[in-house]
Amino acid sequence: MSIEEKLATLSLGDESSLAATVKSDGIEKSGLAPSIEGLAAKCGSGDEKEALAGMALARSLASDCPEAQALTKLCLGPCLEQASSKSKSVREAASSTSLAICAGTNPFGVKSLLPVLFAALPVEKKWQIRELALRCVASLGETAPKQLGNALPEVVPEVTACMWDTKKQIKQAATAAMREALKVIGNKDIEHMTEKILIAISKPKEVPEIMHEMAGVTFVQSVESPALAMVVPLLLRGLREKQIATKRQSAVIINNMSKLVDNPIDAAPFLPLLLPALETNASSIADPEARGVTEKAVEQLNRLKGLADKAVNVRGDPTKLESEFKKHFAGDQQGLAACIGHAAVVATCMMDLQFMEDVQWKKNLSPFFGAYADDAACEAGIEAVRVEAEKMMEIPEEDDEEDDAEELCNCQFTLAYGTKILLHNTKMKLLRGKKYGLLGGNDSGKTTLMRSIANNSVEGFPDSSDVRTVFVEADIQGEQSHLSCIDYVFVDEKIQALGCTKEQVKEMLATVGFVPDGKAKPDHAVSTLSGGWRMKLALARAMLQKADILLLDEPTNHLDVINVAWVKKYINSLTNVTCIMVSHDSGLLNDCCTNILQIENLKLHPYKGNLDEFVKVKPSARSYFSFTESKMKFKFPQPGPIEGVKSKGKALMKMSKCTFTYPCNEKPTLFDISVQVSLSSRVACVGENGAGKSTMIKLLVGEIEPQVGDVWKHPNARIAYVAQHAFHHIESHLSKTPNEYIRWRYANDGEDKESLVKVTMQYTEEEKKLQSTPYQIQFVDEESGKITKVKKVVAELVGGRKTNKQKDYEYEVRYAGSTQDSGEYLPGKTLKKMGWDKGMKAVDMKIAQRAGLYVRPLSTKNVEQHLEDVGLDKEFGTHYRMSALSGGQKVKVVLAAAMWNQPHILILDEPTNYLDRDSLGALAGAIETYDGGVVIISHNNEFCSKLCPETWVMDAGHLETKGDAEWMLKQDTKIDDQQQLTEVTDAAGNVTKLKGQKKKLSKKEEKQMVKKLKAKIKNGEPLDSDEEEFAIDKDLI
């Protein structure tokens, strides 16, 4: 008797034999397929016996006949409805049968159950039906966790609505279902917050607190649709909160999470919900900072939307797969259509979860077709559909013409620096012999990527034993600076491991110009090398290591034109070596690169061709290399007035006939140099490597002393000097934040701690001897005119200074043997003879530096703003330690620190080395509007020619002045109005306007004023404050 006939008289106890029949004969032959609707009707029957018998059979089929699940699932709806039956036995059977059908369905097929479960959730349904449906949803977390995760975008909205139900049982069941759903989101970044997310859904008052916690989460893992499904309702609620802080935090979380969405299709369903809410906030939030954060999030979501619109949707489509199955499993049997429909849902889910192995498909799909084809045909049909499904998942990629080149690396990785994600789930493919230019803004992670490759810490990158990778950088470690050039290379661990001899090292150094009679000698200490020769030394060391991949960080830094041409020729000669280079030199990237790798939006984007070809495809990238395209703006503090200087052309610094020889050299480095710098100076100092440019500047600023000649600086002038190896200023303060460093450096009443450690401020033995020798000083008694001569020793300069009648400075001194400050002053000329020249300079410097502090107190807020003015975001300026900053960021810190006390002269030694084009453009703009003098040493012709009409050309220690050297005389404008202080800023950042200095009246104007005031006083008219001051001064009142 078939099941169809048996159903008419079905009773409890028949289920085991009928399930056995289906298992042995199959769903078609046993008659289950044509009679399934009858079984579903029995399950939903109002007759208790009939319903119990029907549900017993459905339960038995679900547990024992997985091949029948495509039909059995049709009984789920009627079973759910029976949850509200008056009979306790029916209710219990309904519960166990519904849960058995959910458990017995293939995990990949759970999506086919969801429409039935969701149909049982509306409030119109009886609460018992809704509660059972929610328990079924929760059970899927146990039986099909990954598959439930894949379905969360559909599940969450349905369950969330039930969590706010007034019925206690529904609320509890919905919370339990949501708790199970939260377990399967598969995102480690937020899984520790699942309980809090649950609370926030049911208790809206908790949303601000939860948002605050979520805003502090560092997102690292890829964000996929399950995580989005869970967080988006919470974010929407945050965006609609009244508190601006909560709205801002929601925008921050959206911005951070959306950057880590690898597949834009995952985000597509949520964008129509989030974008309108974000756009509303962006136009309505009153706080400008929070509005800016929201606008950034809108921009990021619009970018994601653009990607989602363009993306090829490779998600499984059940209708496409159904038509593929029909090609291989044809027939008009009643059950076949149901099996094909169910198989299509299962296969779709397998595609979405990347279960694409033939074994996996055979195991999960072949049971459905056993009744309609033999094993071989069944296997062949499923494999054919699987192959088609794989084709549907393929994303068309650009054809790579260089397939003949050997592939050195093809990996996918994530890269972080501290808590900051730099690259996320990005691909990198490198071919032998190619030259890759690595581009990206400052702080995008270019150097970190190269260091990680060199340190073998990039996931999936070939081991250094298979592919030899060498990182070339010109920085010399302090503990090795005493070594000779040969020893410096020879002691390197990698050179030692290769077993190179000193002779081989010497030969290699000779090929790059280190010869006994050359500018750089192989047996001299590396500390004596200029920046250009340090780079050549690093290249020589790399050449010895016979690299497969050469990583070059700014290889043309510090190099003159001749050496840049040499580097380009060398790179192009490496036909069998792959190079990755970071450079701000557009000429290098055009002449050497075959490919460009751009870091943008946490991804590495490959492009073919050199820089010009790349800019054609991506015009926005022009800002990396063009000053005029720079959107960044720097702002330097203006220098303020100098006592005694009324002309912008008056020299503030001078070198006169200076000759200098380094202690270890016989031949002078500089010969007979004379230069001067004023407020109007704009000087470019150029010359080839080792010509003596940096040495001359060190003499000018007082870091070293000439053996012959004089160096003079105006006592009231403040000088900012950013050295070529800029990081030496901060390398002993890396545990401080930039803000803390600047406040430490100027903490002592505005004195610059860095400026007091110069060699030129340390007393020589000769000077100490003069200071301890009694010197005859004559005093004149003002009343009697009597002259007294006394021999005295000055113990110290106390720090006071005044101007005498001859308009010369006198300095306050304390005499030896005196226990208190005498309040006595001695002329500068006398003190110079007593060996106190450097002491006077130190007093001058302190007074000049203190004058800079008046305008802007040293507060955290003021320093933060100052750092932002030179392009360092407050996030990095106040909250990051300097050890975590990139090279470009550190240069900004050094620049900001040098500019804090509003210098009159700014001296920059190779400022273009670590700054990208955006920052260089901003620096150029700041220099153009800066009222002080500027001296720049640089090989970057574009930068110098834009800013400097005067050029100092240094050639082998001899100086020649070119260009419009007399131009500063044309700038000889009077310093009256433009350098008066117009405002001061207090510690809280408040700006106060100052009155201008009073104009000095001529004798005629003075006479008229006296006449006018006499009349006013006579008539009893009130005087304003200025008139009253004038009247008192002239004894009129």
Side-chain angles (χ1 to χ4, degrees):
M1 190 187 287
S2 72
I3 289 178
E4 204 168 358
E5 293 165 343
K6 190 74 178 164
L7 271 179
T9 58
L10 186 67
S11 61
L12 269 174
D14 293 342
E15 62 273 7
S16 298
S17 60
L18 289 174
T21 305
V22 173
K23 199 156 186 67
S24 60
D25 294 350
I27 58 173
E28 203 66 49
K29 190 178 174 185
S30 65
L32 180 63
S35 57
I36 191 63
E37 285 178 9
L39 176 58
K42 289 265 182 194
C43 291
S45 172
D47 181 278
E48 185 177 336
K49 285 185 180 178
E50 206 172 69
L52 288 172
M55 285 192 281
L57 178 54
R59 192 162 57 249
S60 191
L61 288 170
S63 306
D64 304 332
C65 303
E67 61 272 22
Q69 62 185 267
L71 302 172
T72 314
K73 69 180 183 182
L74 297 176
C75 299
L76 179 60
C79 290
L80 289 170
E81 291 292 330
Q82 291 286 29
S84 63
S85 171
K86 290 175 182 173
S87 163
K88 186 184 177 186
S89 304
V90 172
R91 290 199 303 272
E92 287 172 353
S95 174
S96 58
T97 307
S98 299
L99 291 169
I101 291 171
C102 291
T105 302
N106 183 302
F108 292 103
V110 295
K111 271 195 177 180
S112 65
L113 304 177
L114 294 179
V116 182
L117 294 172
F118 294 160
L121 291 178
V123 286
E124 297 78 27
K125 294 280 183 184
K126 291 183 177 173
W127 71 264
Q128 295 92 337
I129 299 170
R130 298 171 69 205
E131 186 196 22
L132 179 55
L134 286 166
R135 281 168 50 213
C136 287
V137 171
S139 75
L140 298 176
E142 288 288 325
T143 58
K146 283 184 181 170
Q147 294 81 356
L148 178 62
N150 183 46
L152 279 186
E154 296 101 86
V155 172
V156 170
E158 299 286 345
V159 177
T160 303
C162 296
M163 286 179 73
W164 305 325
D165 203 88
T166 51
K167 195 78 179 170
K168 182 184 168 188
Q169 290 89 336
I170 299 298
K171 211 175 212 178
Q172 286 174 345
T175 303
M178 187 60 90
R179 188 171 279 112
E180 286 302 319
L182 280 163
K183 287 178 187 173
V184 300
I185 56 176
N187 190 297
K188 289 178 182 172
D189 298 331
I190 53 174
E191 64 184 14
H192 67 285
M193 294 195 65
T194 50
E195 203 57 38
K196 288 176 179 172
I197 292 171
L198 199 61
I199 293 166
I201 293 171
S202 53
K203 295 180 183 172
K205 284 184 181 175
E206 298 290 327
V207 169
E209 184 56 34
I210 309 287
M211 297 310 291
H212 187 74
E213 285 197 40
M214 275 199 76
V217 171
T218 302
F219 289 96
V220 177
Q221 196 178 334
S222 292
V223 175
E224 294 169 341
S225 56
L228 287 169
M230 201 51 74
V231 175
V232 164
L234 185 62
L235 293 173
L236 274 172
R237 189 163 280 185
L239 292 172
R240 290 167 186 157
E241 278 285 317
K242 285 183 181 176
Q243 292 177 25
I244 288 177
T246 309
K247 290 181 175 186
R248 183 191 180 281
Q249 281 162 340
S250 302
V252 168
I253 298 164
I254 290 168
N255 194 13
N256 290 344
M257 285 188 79
S258 59
K259 284 177 184 171
L260 299 183
V261 173
D262 277 342
N263 185 357
I265 301 295
D266 280 346
F270 306 104
L271 294 174
L273 298 170
L274 290 174
L275 257 175
L278 264 178
E279 284 167 344
T280 302
N281 285 0
S283 58
S284 63
I285 291 177
D287 179 3
E289 197 273 340
R291 195 166 62 244
V293 168
T294 308
E295 282 165 358
K296 275 186 185 172
V298 170
E299 194 181 312
Q300 175 62 20
L301 279 201
N302 277 321
R303 185 187 72 80
L304 198 57
K305 184 175 182 293
L307 292 173
D309 293 343
K310 284 184 210 166
V312 180
N313 193 343
V314 292
R315 287 201 173 284
D317 184 342
T319 53
K320 285 183 185 174
L321 287 176
E322 214 170 300
S323 60
E324 288 299 325
F325 276 118
K326 282 176 182 174
K327 289 177 190 175
H328 302 283
F329 300 99
D332 56 359
Q333 297 96 322
Q334 281 178 288
L336 182 59
C339 286
I340 285 177
H342 188 64
V345 173
V346 171
T348 300
C349 187
M350 291 178 79
M351 286 172 71
D352 290 347
L353 295 173
Q354 306 291 317
F355 281 77
M356 294 305 295
E357 296 298 323
D358 50 359
V359 183
Q360 294 165 335
W361 277 54
K362 180 184 171 185
K363 177 187 166 188
N364 285 290
L365 293 170
S366 54
F368 306 143
F369 300 106
Y372 305 102
D374 59 37
D375 288 351
C378 189
E379 196 173 322
I382 290 168
E383 179 58 17
V385 176
R386 189 191 69 80
V387 170
E388 286 303 314
E390 277 193 326
K391 288 178 187 171
M392 292 176 196
M393 291 175 73
E394 281 176 11
I395 297 171
E397 287 187 10
E398 277 186 49
D399 292 335
D400 200 341
E401 300 142 21
E402 277 101 29
D403 281 343
D404 54 330
E406 182 193 342
E407 191 178 274
L408 291 180
C409 157
N410 192 352
C411 60
Q412 187 164 348
F413 62 95
T414 291
L415 182 71
Y417 189 89
T419 57
K420 187 183 180 189
I421 301 291
L422 300 170
L423 289 165
H424 183 261
N425 256 12
T426 194
K427 288 181 180 175
M428 179 167 68
K429 183 178 179 182
L430 301 175
L431 301 174
R432 187 176 286 283
K434 298 291 166 195
K435 310 293 183 286
Y436 297 90
L438 183 58
L439 301 185
N442 267 2
D443 325 327
S444 61
K446 304 182 292 294
T447 304
T448 305
L449 173 59
M450 302 236 287
R451 275 191 199 285
S452 302
I453 292 172
N455 296 338
N456 216 19
S457 57
V458 169
E459 190 184 338
F461 198 87
D463 192 82
S464 51
S465 56
D466 302 323
V467 175
R468 193 175 289 168
T469 307
V470 179
F471 186 41
V472 181
E473 56 178 342
D475 276 358
I476 287 168
Q477 303 302 318
E479 63 272 15
Q480 295 181 328
S481 58
H482 66 284
L483 297 173
S484 72
C485 298
I486 292 175
D487 289 337
Y488 177 75
V489 175
F490 184 69
V491 298
D492 187 276
E493 288 173 14
K494 291 175 181 171
I495 300 293
Q496 290 282 312
L498 289 168
C500 292
T501 63
K502 279 201 175 184
E503 200 52 45
Q504 286 173 307
V505 172
K506 196 172 183 180
E507 284 170 20
M508 185 55 77
L509 287 175
T511 63
V512 296
F514 286 86
V515 287
D517 56 347
K519 284 182 183 170
K521 297 170 178 60
D523 50 359
H524 276 194
V526 288
S527 56
T528 64
L529 297 177
S530 68
W533 283 101
R534 288 184 184 200
M535 181 52 79
K536 291 180 101 170
L537 185 69
L539 273 170
R541 184 174 57 183
M543 288 156 76
L544 272 169
Q545 292 175 51
K546 300 185 176 74
D548 293 305
I549 298 177
L550 211 52
L551 305 167
L552 303 162
D553 191 6
E554 299 289 359
T556 57
N557 265 8
H558 311 291
L559 296 183
D560 54 35
V561 179
I562 300 159
N563 283 315
V564 168
W566 178 87
V567 169
K568 287 179 187 174
K569 188 179 176 185
Y570 170 64
I571 291 171
N572 288 331
S573 70
L574 302 170
T575 51
N576 213 30
V577 177
T578 300
C579 294
I580 304 177
M581 54 196 111
V582 171
S583 179
H584 296 121
D585 181 346
S586 47
L588 177 82
L589 297 177
N590 264 329
D591 295 344
C592 297
C593 288
T594 58
N595 300 68
I596 297 291
L597 297 171
Q598 186 200 16
I599 298 177
E600 190 179 44
N601 295 318
L602 310 184
K603 297 288 181 195
L604 202 56
H605 302 278
Y607 296 87
K608 285 179 187 167
N610 63 5
L611 180 65
D612 285 345
E613 295 301 313
F614 168 64
V615 169
K616 284 177 194 169
V617 180
K618 194 105 182 185
S620 61
R622 201 184 301 277
S623 66
Y624 296 145
F625 300 95
S626 166
F627 300 138
T628 52
E629 299 278 335
S630 174
K631 294 183 182 120
M632 197 184 285
K633 293 279 180 284
F634 285 5
K635 183 178 154 197
F636 286 165
Q638 294 303 347
I642 310 182
E643 188 188 333
V645 177
K646 300 290 181 200
S647 156
K648 284 192 88 170
K650 185 173 179 179
L652 297 183
M653 302 177 83
K654 277 183 192 173
M655 279 172 65
S656 178
K657 301 186 180 303
C658 289
T659 298
F660 177 78
T661 311
Y662 277 106
C664 57
N665 292 354
E666 294 169 15
K667 189 181 172 188
T669 303
L670 299 175
F671 299 88
D672 197 30
I673 304 288
S674 296
V675 292
Q676 68 176 40
V677 185
S678 74
L679 281 168
S680 61
S681 291
R682 291 287 185 279
V683 182
C685 184
V686 298
E688 61 179 83
N689 294 128
K693 304 182 297 296
S694 296
T695 305
M696 180 181 79
I697 295 302
K698 283 179 182 173
L699 274 179
L700 187 62
V701 298
E703 291 221 340
I704 50 178
E705 286 186 285
Q707 284 86 3
V708 180
D710 295 312
V711 179
W712 173 86
K713 177 180 85 68
H714 192 287
N716 293 330
R718 295 186 293 275
I719 313 298
Y721 171 49
V722 179
Q724 185 179 41
H725 308 293
F727 303 155
H728 88 264
H729 294 282
I730 58 171
E731 59 194 13
S732 52
H733 304 282
L734 294 179
S735 59
K736 294 184 176 83
T737 66
N739 198 312
E740 288 167 348
Y741 167 67
I742 290 177
R743 284 185 289 120
W744 165 84
R745 185 165 158 177
Y746 292 96
N748 191 14
D749 284 336
E751 289 172 22
D752 182 358
K753 291 191 178 105
E754 296 271 340
S755 65
L756 302 176
V757 294
K758 290 178 183 172
V759 176
T760 50
M761 287 300 178
Q762 314 300 318
Y763 294 116
T764 62
E765 288 303 317
E766 195 180 325
E767 286 168 330
K768 286 178 184 173
K769 191 178 175 186
L770 275 173
Q771 289 170 9
S772 59
T773 307
Y775 186 83
Q776 186 169 290
I777 301 165
Q778 64 178 32
F779 297 97
V780 180
D781 189 301
E782 286 183 14
E783 288 180 15
S784 63
K786 188 182 173 187
I787 297 172
T788 312
K789 292 182 180 179
V790 185
K791 283 197 173 184
K792 288 202 173 194
V793 172
V794 171
E796 65 172 331
L797 302 190
V798 179
R801 189 183 73 183
K802 66 180 184 180
T803 311
N804 61 20
K805 289 174 184 174
Q806 290 78 38
K807 294 198 173 175
D808 290 330
Y809 283 132
E810 292 186 351
Y811 295 84
E812 189 177 1
V813 298
R814 183 175 70 77
Y815 293 114
S818 171
T819 54
Q820 58 185 31
D821 297 345
S822 63
E824 291 192 41
Y825 285 79
L826 285 179
K829 288 172 184 172
T830 304
L831 285 167
K832 191 171 183 179
K833 290 172 187 171
M834 296 173 77
W836 286 100
D837 193 24
K838 287 172 183 171
M840 291 188 291
K841 283 181 183 174
V843 171
D844 291 339
M845 190 183 295
K846 286 179 183 179
I847 291 170
Q849 287 168 354
R850 233 173 274 149
L853 190 69
Y854 164 62
V855 181
R856 193 171 41 168
L858 193 68
S859 68
T860 304
K861 193 174 175 74
N862 283 342
V863 174
E864 188 174 272
Q865 183 56 52
H866 178 67
L867 285 161
E868 283 203 316
D869 285 344
V870 292
L872 191 69
D873 190 81
K874 61 183 167 196
E875 185 71 21
F876 298 106
T878 307
H879 304 291
Y880 273 61
R881 288 185 172 180
M882 290 195 286
S883 56
L885 301 184
S886 70
Q889 288 170 323
K890 284 177 183 168
V891 167
K892 289 173 185 173
V893 175
V894 173
L895 190 59
M899 295 301 291
W900 171 257
N901 66 357
Q902 297 161 286
H904 300 103
I905 306 289
L906 173 60
I907 300 174
L908 301 169
D909 194 348
E910 295 283 8
T912 57
N913 280 342
Y914 290 95
L915 295 177
D916 62 13
R917 283 295 168 117
D918 258 359
S919 301
L920 279 182
L923 178 62
I927 289 172
E928 281 179 340
T929 57
Y930 175 59
D931 280 345
V934 180
V935 179
I936 301 167
I937 299 181
S938 181
H939 294 120
N940 189 317
N941 188 47
E942 186 187 351
F943 186 71
C944 288
S945 58
K946 182 180 178 188
L947 296 169
C948 305
E950 183 186 354
T951 309
W952 296 344
V953 182
M954 186 65 79
D955 184 18
H958 295 275
L959 184 74
E960 185 187 350
T961 307
K962 286 188 177 178
D964 191 0
E966 299 298 311
W967 80 294
M968 66 170 73
L969 301 176
K970 299 171 193 168
Q971 294 282 316
D972 204 2
T973 51
K974 294 290 175 189
I975 306 176
D976 289 331
D977 305 327
Q978 76 265 36
Q979 292 215 349
Q980 283 187 28
L981 295 179
T982 57
E983 54 185 44
V984 288
T985 311
D986 68 14
N990 301 312
V991 176
T992 310
K993 298 285 178 189
L994 296 180
K995 286 184 182 179
Q997 291 175 13
K998 293 187 190 69
K999 186 186 170 191
K1000 195 174 179 185
L1001 301 179
S1002 66
K1003 283 189 177 177
K1004 188 179 178 184
E1005 287 169 332
E1006 207 172 280
K1007 232 176 185 179
Q1008 287 171 342
M1009 179 64 84
V1010 169
K1011 193 177 178 183
K1012 177 185 166 187
L1013 293 184
K1014 274 184 175 177
K1016 269 191 167 187
I1017 294 162
K1018 189 178 179 184
N1019 298 331
E1021 292 175 31
L1023 305 180
D1024 67 29
S1025 58
D1026 285 347
E1027 287 173 337
E1028 193 175 342
E1029 199 178 315
F1030 183 83
I1032 292 167
D1033 194 40
K1034 296 294 176 186
D1035 280 337
L1036 300 178
I1037 51 174

